[in-house]
Amino acid sequence: QVQLVESGGGLVQAGGSLRLSCVASGRTLTSYTVAWFRQAPGKEREFVANSNWIGGSTNYADSAKGRFTISRDNRKNTAYLEMNGLEPEDTAVYYCAADRAVQRRIPTAYAYWGQGTQVTVSS
């Protein structure tokens, strides 16, 4: 079992930045794909970014490209999502997810999830 705990969310003005962290316990993340998803009120959970186990391969949703960066530190069993140029449309609960499967963009591909961290961007 893998337990994931996100942190780093908060309230920020449009144009601001936040860095989300996802700390894993129970198993090392070394062989896991790690992903970030988000879910806004009344909307489905959507893919933001993912990273393969060594961090050499990353994928981003079009909405995240050029503004967000996913990274990981396997020594610390931690993944990060650096978010810059935040917009009100980025307001959502952000979730960290992990799975041994290859990188995919759908929530059902991930077996392990954190509880989420709220990101609110004011205009």
Side-chain angles (χ1 to χ4, degrees), residues 1-2 27-34 53 97-103 109-112:
Q1 291 289 337
V2 176
R27 295 278 180 88
T28 176
L29 284 181
T30 303
S31 58
Y32 286 74
T33 291
V34 176
W53 71 277
D99 201 273
R100 288 187 177 272
V102 297
Q103 291 172 273
Y110 294 84
Y112 304 105

Side-chain angles (χ1 to χ4, degrees), residues 11-32:
L11 174 64
V12 64
Q13 289 188 332
S17 300
L18 284 174
R19 188 194 196 200
L20 306 183
S21 298
C22 172
V23 179
S25 60
R27 295 278 180 88
T28 176
L29 284 181
T30 303
S31 58
Y32 286 74

Side-chain angles (χ1 to χ4, degrees), residues 5-113:
V5 178
E6 304 96 332
S7 63
L11 174 64
V12 64
Q13 289 188 332
S17 300
L18 284 174
R19 188 194 196 200
L20 306 183
S21 298
C22 172
V23 179
S25 60
R27 295 278 180 88
T28 176
L29 284 181
T30 303
S31 58
Y32 286 74
T33 291
V34 176
W36 289 92
F37 289 81
R38 67 186 184 185
Q39 188 166 17
K43 295 187 176 181
E44 294 187 351
R45 193 166 297 189
E46 65 174 3
F47 169 78
V48 177
N50 64 21
S51 169
N52 72 340
W53 71 277
I54 59 173
S57 173
T58 57
N59 296 301
Y60 295 92
D62 288 344
S63 60
K65 286 179 182 176
R67 300 188 301 130
F68 296 1
T69 303
I70 186 172
S71 62
R72 57 192 298 169
D73 185 339
N74 287 336
R75 297 169 300 174
K76 296 182 179 180
N77 232 23
T78 301
Y80 305 96
L81 184 68
E82 185 80 33
M83 304 186 295
N84 299 309
L86 284 163
E87 303 166 351
E89 293 73 23
D90 296 315
T91 295
V93 177
Y94 283 71
Y95 296 91
C96 175
D99 201 273
R100 288 187 177 272
V102 297
Q103 291 172 273
R104 298 188 69 183
R105 300 182 178 221
I106 56 175
T108 53
Y110 294 84
Y112 304 105
W113 290 85

